[in-house]
Amino acid sequence: MLMLLIKIMENPYAKMLRLVILSPLGIIGVSFLFLGTAGIFLYGILIAYKPSLVYQWQSWIYPLVFLSISAIFIYFSLVSLRKNNLKFLENVRKEEKKIKKGIFNYSDESSEFGPNNRDVEILKIIKDSGGYVPILRQQLIDSPFDIQEGIESIAKLSLLEYLRIPEEKGMKITITPKGLDAMELPPITFASLVPWDISLMLIRANLLYREGNYEKAILEIYNLLERALKVHLIPTIENYRERWNEKIESKVGDDEKAKEMYSWKGEKTIASLNALWNFYKKNSELGKKWKALGDAEINDVEGMKKTMDRIVDVIADTRSRYAHNKPGGKYKKDAYRIIKLAEILIGVLFENIKEKSLGS
């Protein structure tokens, strides 16, 4: 009997009913339901002793009024719950649009594989809730995460095809086989390596590719590498600003206008991808990282260097080619190739920074 009761209480519909009746409006409705039911029960007992009460409308009208008021309050509790959950899904869709447009929240981190530990934990909450949005919202409220964090993760997981958001009137989120597989992977798989803005640009490039916007996907990858170097990688070099400006001075001489134009300005620095890469490669400790890789795994360190150089060259050349002519049918092939090359390059570069920060 106890096990049956537990199963009933764990039923998703029973959980949603609890949410309805435990809301402020629901509690009022249940109170009137109790009064109305008690009145009907009392009326039934009294009528057995005094049948004439059947003709006295005052005896049964009040319980019916209480029951009617109860139905109204419970109805509005249900409407309010549904409205809040539709708003939740609407906010998820808005977050998806923000990611598609490249509007990022730089305060968070992600992993090079797309989702991070927080996303996987929220994926598990979705599974535990059965995907029913009312239960999911309540479990998010009761969890260490806030609602906005849940919205951000669900939007990202949806774009990554780890789950499916319901249609406009639907109220159930479905976890895909890809999402189920992710929950079986060890947590270290999703350790944060790549900054949130870079990871989301990579996600957006993949999304553009899936939508058939191959030229935009190519441009997104080029912009991603530029941003990674300007905002995250080059600033890890000691005295990077002075070194960069010295390099510019040695090239332009006494041309003050050129010095001002090409001097280091962070993300607004005017420079080609190859120039940024060569500066980072020469001045950072990446060579030591490659040497360590060579000692442990790769015999040809110079081959490793040439491979990384070649990846940057391919991405830069592909972007340049598409900026000047339209190869048509090659869009899809080239977009796919440079997305995968960028994933490899970004993974190695930020692994280097991660290991360096852990060792310091």
Side-chain angles (χ1 to χ4, degrees):
M1 185 66 180
L2 179 61
M3 292 300 295
L4 179 62
L5 182 61
I6 291 173
K7 284 185 178 180
I8 292 173
M9 295 301 290
E10 289 300 315
N11 184 282
Y13 295 104
K15 290 181 178 180
M16 284 191 280
L17 179 61
R18 286 205 305 271
L19 293 175
V20 171
I21 64 177
L22 292 178
S23 69
L25 291 174
I27 290 172
I28 296 173
V30 170
S31 299
F32 277 103
L33 178 63
F34 175 77
L35 292 173
T37 304
I40 292 292
F41 181 73
L42 183 61
Y43 176 72
I45 293 175
L46 293 175
I47 203 172
Y49 294 97
K50 194 176 180 181
S52 61
L53 287 174
V54 172
Y55 304 102
Q56 297 179 15
W57 62 270
Q58 296 93 335
S59 303
W60 50 263
I61 194 65
Y62 290 113
L64 290 180
V65 169
F66 288 152
L67 291 174
S68 299
I69 294 173
S70 169
I72 291 171
F73 274 101
I74 291 176
Y75 171 76
F76 279 109
S77 174
L78 184 61
V79 169
S80 176
L81 183 71
R82 180 173 177 78
K83 182 179 178 181
N84 289 336
N85 289 294
L86 289 175
K87 182 67 175 177
F88 177 85
L89 289 174
E90 181 184 344
N91 289 334
V92 170
R93 295 186 185 99
K94 287 180 180 178
E95 192 68 27
E96 284 184 330
K97 291 177 182 178
K98 284 170 62 179
I99 294 174
K100 289 180 181 179
K101 291 179 180 178
I103 303 172
F104 307 129
N105 173 14
Y106 300 134
S107 64
D108 202 354
E109 290 185 340
S110 185
S111 80
E112 61 187 292
F113 304 98
N116 57 23
N117 286 323
R118 186 191 74 183
D119 301 326
V120 176
E121 288 302 315
I122 287 177
L123 197 58
K124 290 176 181 178
I125 293 175
I126 295 171
K127 182 181 179 183
D128 186 57
S129 69
Y132 294 97
V133 178
I135 303 171
L136 170 61
R137 282 185 70 252
Q138 186 58 48
Q139 290 189 352
L140 282 173
I141 292 170
D142 296 336
S143 76
F145 311 106
D146 61 36
I147 292 293
Q148 184 56 35
E149 287 177 324
I151 289 170
E152 291 171 359
S153 286
I154 292 169
K156 183 166 68 165
L157 291 167
S158 173
L159 291 176
L160 287 168
E161 299 182 333
Y162 283 75
L163 50 82
R164 295 189 186 92
I165 303 299
E167 298 299 327
E168 291 297 324
K169 300 300 181 181
M171 297 288 282
K172 185 177 180 181
I173 296 173
T174 305
I175 300 176
T176 64
K178 186 177 179 181
L180 293 172
D181 290 342
M183 287 187 287
E184 299 301 321
L185 294 173
I188 190 64
T189 305
F190 305 99
S192 293
L193 295 174
V194 180
W196 177 245
D197 55 325
I198 301 303
S199 183
L200 281 184
M201 290 180 79
L202 194 55
I203 292 169
R204 187 167 183 267
N206 277 284
L207 180 65
L208 288 167
Y209 173 81
R210 291 202 302 268
E211 291 177 345
N213 294 321
Y214 306 123
E215 186 177 358
K216 289 183 178 179
I218 291 168
L219 178 60
E220 188 73 11
I221 288 296
Y222 186 88
N223 292 340
L224 176 156
L225 292 180
E226 276 199 343
R227 180 176 178 82
L229 286 161
K230 291 178 181 178
V231 176
H232 299 286
L233 296 169
I234 289 178
T236 63
I237 300 169
E238 187 176 357
N239 299 323
Y240 67 93
R241 189 183 300 272
E242 291 79 5
R243 292 186 186 185
W244 177 271
N245 291 338
E246 285 174 6
K247 178 179 76 76
I248 296 300
E249 283 186 35
S250 67
K251 285 187 175 182
V252 302
D254 296 328
D255 189 339
E256 295 298 327
K257 186 176 180 181
K259 284 183 188 178
E260 174 60 27
M261 180 179 296
Y262 297 109
S263 65
W264 185 263
K265 301 182 183 69
E267 191 177 2
K268 295 183 179 179
T269 301
I270 299 175
S272 69
L273 177 61
N274 290 99
L276 292 166
W277 167 249
N278 289 330
F279 177 80
Y280 177 70
K281 179 179 63 173
K282 180 180 178 181
N283 294 278
S284 70
E285 296 182 357
L286 189 56
K288 293 181 180 179
K289 169 66 177 178
W290 280 337
K291 183 65 168 63
L293 283 172
D295 291 342
E297 303 168 15
I298 303 171
N299 294 324
D300 186 6
V301 178
E302 289 302 316
M304 176 70 173
K305 292 181 180 180
K306 290 178 182 178
T307 298
M308 305 299 275
D309 285 339
R310 181 58 181 157
I311 289 175
V312 175
D313 287 340
V314 168
I315 292 172
D317 291 346
T318 303
R319 165 69 182 90
S320 177
R321 181 155 43 88
Y322 278 85
H324 295 94
N325 58 64
K326 309 295 180 185
K330 288 188 176 181
Y331 273 20
K332 184 175 182 179
K333 181 179 178 181
D334 286 341
Y336 179 82
R337 179 176 58 174
I338 71 166
I339 286 172
K340 296 308 172 186
L341 290 174
E343 288 176 348
I344 294 169
L345 183 62
I346 288 295
V348 172
L349 293 177
F350 282 99
E351 181 183 19
N352 181 46
I353 288 182
K354 185 76 172 180
E355 290 189 359
K356 183 179 176 181
S357 64
L358 289 173
S360 60

